[in-house]
Amino acid sequence: MKAILVKEPGDASQLTMGEAPDPQPGPGELLVKVAYTALNRADIVQREGNYPPPEGASPILGLEIAGEVIATGPEVTRHAEGDKVFGLVPGGGYAEKAVIHEDMAIALPSHLGLQEAAAVPEVFLTAYQALVWIGHAQQGETVLVHAGASGVGTAATQLARSMDMNILVTASARKHELCRSLGATACYDYHKGPFTDFVKEHTEGKGADIIIDFIGAPYFSHNLDSLARDGRLVMLAFLGGVKANEVNLRRMLAKRLTIAGSTLRSRDQDYQIRLNMEMTAYLLPLLEQGEIKPVVDSTFSWRDVADAHRYMEDNRNQGKIILAVD
């Protein structure tokens, strides 16, 4: 089969179209003819050689797929050949064919196309895990979502809106209109510097109950300042660096803060299946009602994958970047 391969760890120029062995579905697995996949920051880090796939996973990039089931492994009961599905995979999405566990595959609803469906799995699973499973979000609470126009940011904003939360986001000014359209109460241009006063202004000095952060080191101290008592900081990435300097840890005790870090890809399969089942049950009715929608910024041919990676690295996207597998 054709697949996007990484010649050597490095920049986007290392991505090339090549040949790879067809994957074979094992017990409980589906073989899917991929129509669309999507970009994630993890793809860039893996391309650079800094994020190896989990043991046993495909070394090919790509964490989500949408397409048609073309074969099933033993013990499959929930899907059949010809079914249209989408879902999260531990790797292998940038290819003509990919394997997915049947309990991670979501049947395509009649109101959703495969292109839109490819924009759902990773971001909504990550956002749901951060808000509900780790952040213990409650109706009426305030959440601060950094990188509010990113894939996970747009998903987290919509999920928080569905939970009747007060939603603050940071994003560049040109992306504020999108963030507000998805449910953000107020937006802050991170180019202006620290966001602490912005959070206090929009919470009557109380602070945010939950912060979802992808930036890491440069935001860490400001995040602690911006949390309310009993606040929860959920860290999902370190785009700004991993070493925070001059952090006053006293605030953690004084405000009884909880700080949690999480990646979804490294979770075991049972955890991912349980999360997928719960998130799907919550999300699908909202998608059908139009209360939540996948946010697609742009679609590239997978033959232009290097351009798509550069587009993401330049932070130009608002929502998901899709690759069409032709």
Side-chain angles (χ1 to χ4, degrees):
M1 69 175 181
K2 290 186 173 63
I4 302 298
L5 306 177
V6 180
K7 291 179 286 187
E8 297 287 344
D11 63 21
S13 67
Q14 297 299 317
L15 297 169
T16 184
M17 183 74 73
E19 292 289 331
D22 284 9
Q24 301 300 316
E29 293 181 334
L30 313 173
L31 181 63
V32 175
K33 185 179 187 302
V34 180
Y36 296 94
T37 184
L39 268 64
N40 292 284
R41 288 280 175 180
D43 301 342
I44 293 172
V45 182
Q46 182 175 336
R47 185 202 72 209
E48 294 170 336
N50 298 317
Y51 192 22
E55 184 177 356
S58 171
I60 297 170
L61 302 182
L63 301 180
E64 46 203 334
I65 59 171
E68 181 178 334
V69 178
I70 55 175
T72 60
E75 303 171 18
V76 167
T77 59
R78 298 184 62 240
H79 300 280
E81 290 183 31
D83 287 355
K84 302 288 180 61
V85 298
F86 62 103
L88 186 74
V89 292
Y94 289 19
E96 288 183 309
K97 302 171 186 176
V99 164
I100 184 171
H101 192 280
E102 69 163 344
D103 290 333
M104 293 299 296
I106 305 168
L108 185 74
S110 59
H111 59 278
L112 198 64
L114 285 172
Q115 184 178 13
E116 287 184 304
V120 172
E122 196 274 343
V123 294
F124 279 97
L125 281 167
T126 299
Y128 190 90
Q129 177 193 225
L131 276 171
V132 180
W133 280 28
I134 300 175
H136 305 293
Q138 301 295 319
Q139 181 180 5
E141 288 190 323
T142 294
V143 59
L144 171 63
V145 180
H146 291 306
S150 66
V152 177
T154 58
T157 297
Q158 293 185 82
L159 288 172
R161 183 190 65 199
S162 75
M163 300 172 191
D164 295 323
M165 300 184 73
N166 179 40
I167 306 155
L168 310 178
V169 305
T170 63
S172 58
R174 69 183 181 85
K175 300 179 180 181
H176 287 184
E177 182 178 354
L178 171 65
C179 295
R180 290 193 181 94
S181 73
L182 297 176
T185 309
C187 304
Y188 182 76
D189 182 0
Y190 67 86
H191 291 106
K192 294 181 177 180
F195 46 83
T196 309
D197 289 342
F198 161 76
V199 175
K200 290 179 178 178
E201 176 187 351
H202 290 279
T203 58
E204 299 180 346
K206 174 177 174 284
D209 299 289
I210 303 171
I211 297 178
I212 299 177
D213 179 47
F214 312 87
I215 310 303
Y219 279 15
F220 190 71
S221 184
H222 302 305
N223 282 336
L224 298 187
D225 285 337
S226 300
L227 281 166
R229 181 164 291 181
D230 296 314
R232 290 86 75 193
L233 170 60
V234 183
M235 305 188 71
L236 299 177
F238 303 105
L239 298 178
V242 299
K243 295 184 178 180
N245 298 320
E246 299 182 6
V247 176
N248 182 358
L249 298 179
R250 188 185 303 274
R251 289 165 293 183
M252 293 174 59
L253 299 185
K255 294 200 284 186
R256 301 190 299 265
L257 304 181
T258 299
I259 299 173
S262 181
T263 60
L264 183 54
R265 192 182 191 187
S266 63
R267 299 282 190 177
D268 64 42
Q269 189 173 80
D270 287 344
Y271 178 100
Q272 292 194 20
I273 288 172
R274 287 188 292 110
L275 177 64
N276 189 57
M277 294 293 190
E278 183 175 316
M279 187 280 295
T280 301
Y282 183 86
L283 182 67
L284 288 184
L286 295 174
L287 285 170
E288 184 173 4
Q289 296 160 16
E291 294 295 320
I292 283 179
K293 62 180 181 180
V295 179
V296 175
D297 174 277
S298 50
T299 300
F300 289 75
S301 166
W302 71 329
R303 301 175 189 278
D304 299 320
V305 63
D307 291 335
H309 272 232
R310 294 185 187 104
Y311 185 79
M312 174 173 274
E313 288 174 303
D314 290 340
N315 295 319
R316 293 164 63 188
N317 60 297
Q318 301 184 53
K320 292 289 287 186
I321 302 169
I322 304 298
L323 292 181
V325 180
D326 49 33

